[in-house]
Amino acid sequence: MNYTLRQPLSDATPIDRLLDRLLSGADPLGPAQAHRMGHGDGDHEHGEGDPEADILAQFAEQADDLHERVVHDHGIFVAEFLGATGSGKTRLIERLIERAPDDEEIGVIVGDVAGEDDATRFRELGVSVANVNTGKECHLDPGLVEDALAELDLDALDTLYIENVGNMVCPADFPLGAQARVLVVSATEGDDVVRKHPLLFQACDGAVINKVDIADAVNADLDLMESDVSEIAPEMPTFRTSAEHGDGLDDLAGYLEERGHVHASDHEAYVAGTEHSHSHEVEHTHTHE
Ligand code: MG
């Protein structure tokens, strides 16, 4: 098959690209605002002496800047959906778009390794779409999202959905500044999928167990999946859906709406939450060294 890539395939990982910027003398974060959202210079002491932790901390700060710009400067509600390829992320977002009021202006940033398949589906729903082909990268990072934002009219948007690349490992280290990070797993991934990916669950705000309509056919124990979520991330709200048939979407949509309202009235809670997840992410890196 002959694919047209929006961006050339590259071996460079996000860390390679950040190192390139550092070595070239450029500010690695662009016009980063050190004191935005209360993240002063002293806030990244966990990264001292560890270049990889430093770099991850810089990505986290870049995500905070994105958050500040999109959520606060433009007043857009941002939800990120992540999870394995085939978990149903695209279908879930489609269902949320279909049920949105006519006057809600929606944009979607679609991350996929290659191709326009998901972007085409969203365009057919009449929303604004920025397609990001990551080539050999297994996740979006704040720089890729920043580039994609240039294709969207931020003054017009009310809601921005970000669909991450299908992957259950790499996105944990790369927050994108969303008010809600929603991890989608499906019954077809095996009912042990949750316990196999604790770090990603701990890096997210909400969980969806999708394809519940075919759980019996694949012998998946949905109660086990849900109890694994409560064990790994006790505060995490979990929603059972069949995105294909539109079941279970009311609760998920209600949660997202509430998340937007809570965020608007309690920005400090968001900042505390992201600081928690930043330190968690750095710990995660250490355990693999
Ligand atoms: Mg998809």
Side-chain angles (χ1 to χ4, degrees):
M1 219 184 251
N2 197 12
Y3 290 108
T4 306
L5 296 176
R6 291 183 50 80
Q7 296 161 356
L9 284 171
S10 162
D11 287 329
T13 66
I15 287 176
D16 291 333
R17 289 191 280 113
L18 190 59
L19 283 172
D20 282 347
R21 296 200 64 183
L22 284 166
L23 292 172
S24 71
D27 181 335
L29 299 176
Q33 305 299 312
H35 291 278
R36 281 185 171 184
M37 298 178 63
H39 292 266
D41 292 342
D43 282 343
H44 296 298
E45 64 277 5
H46 51 261
E48 266 176 35
D50 181 340
E52 190 171 351
D54 279 343
I55 287 171
L56 289 177
Q58 286 183 343
F59 274 117
E61 192 166 333
Q62 197 177 4
D64 290 344
D65 286 341
L66 264 183
H67 175 89
E68 188 71 19
R69 181 175 153 218
V70 179
V71 175
H72 294 282
D73 295 351
H74 289 278
I76 301 171
F77 173 73
V78 186
E80 177 193 355
F81 287 79
L82 54 173
T85 303
S87 58
K89 301 181 293 298
T90 310
R91 185 67 84 213
L92 268 180
I93 298 170
E94 285 177 324
R95 294 296 182 224
L96 291 167
I97 292 170
E98 286 166 0
R99 57 182 291 138
D102 288 344
D103 62 350
E104 183 177 332
E105 287 295 326
I106 298 174
V108 187
I109 293 175
V110 194
D112 258 316
V113 167
E116 294 261 343
D117 296 83
D118 291 357
T120 302
R121 285 166 59 177
F122 290 124
R123 284 189 190 110
E124 283 169 1
L125 291 177
V127 298
S128 309
V129 180
N131 189 46
V132 181
N133 283 147
T134 56
K136 291 184 177 177
E137 289 176 20
C138 52
H139 59 92
L140 292 174
D141 65 56
L144 291 171
V145 171
E146 187 82 48
D147 292 346
L149 288 174
E151 298 177 40
L152 301 171
D153 179 1
L154 298 186
D155 289 332
L157 292 185
D158 301 305
T159 303
L160 174 66
Y161 294 115
I162 302 175
E163 181 183 342
N164 213 320
V165 179
N167 188 289
M168 290 284 281
V169 179
C170 310
D173 280 330
F174 298 90
L176 303 175
Q179 284 122 304
R181 286 194 106 183
V182 180
L183 177 49
V184 184
V185 294
S186 67
T188 53
E189 292 162 48
D191 56 17
D192 51 4
V193 66
V194 176
R195 58 180 68 184
K196 285 179 175 173
H197 300 90
L199 292 168
L200 191 55
F201 276 87
Q202 287 167 354
C204 290
D205 304 303
V208 171
I209 300 173
N210 192 31
K211 305 191 186 181
V212 295
D213 53 317
I214 52 173
D216 287 344
V218 294
N219 206 21
D221 181 343
L222 298 172
D223 292 335
L224 173 70
M225 295 173 82
E226 194 161 339
S227 73
D228 280 351
V229 175
S230 5
E231 190 120 325
I232 290 164
E235 306 293 316
M236 179 171 280
T238 303
F239 305 94
R240 297 188 187 192
T241 62
S242 164
E244 194 60 36
H245 301 292
D247 301 328
L249 268 290
D250 288 350
D251 288 347
L252 176 63
Y255 161 73
L256 293 174
E257 195 168 328
E258 184 193 21
R259 192 87 190 160
H261 291 317
V262 167
H263 181 84
S265 64
D266 192 3
H267 182 60
E268 290 307 310
Y270 171 83
V271 173
T274 57
E275 283 177 348
H276 173 76
S277 69
H278 294 174
S279 49
H280 156 72
E281 286 153 15
V282 173
E283 277 163 32
H284 158 53
T285 308
H286 287 166
T287 59
H288 285 266
E289 288 292 290

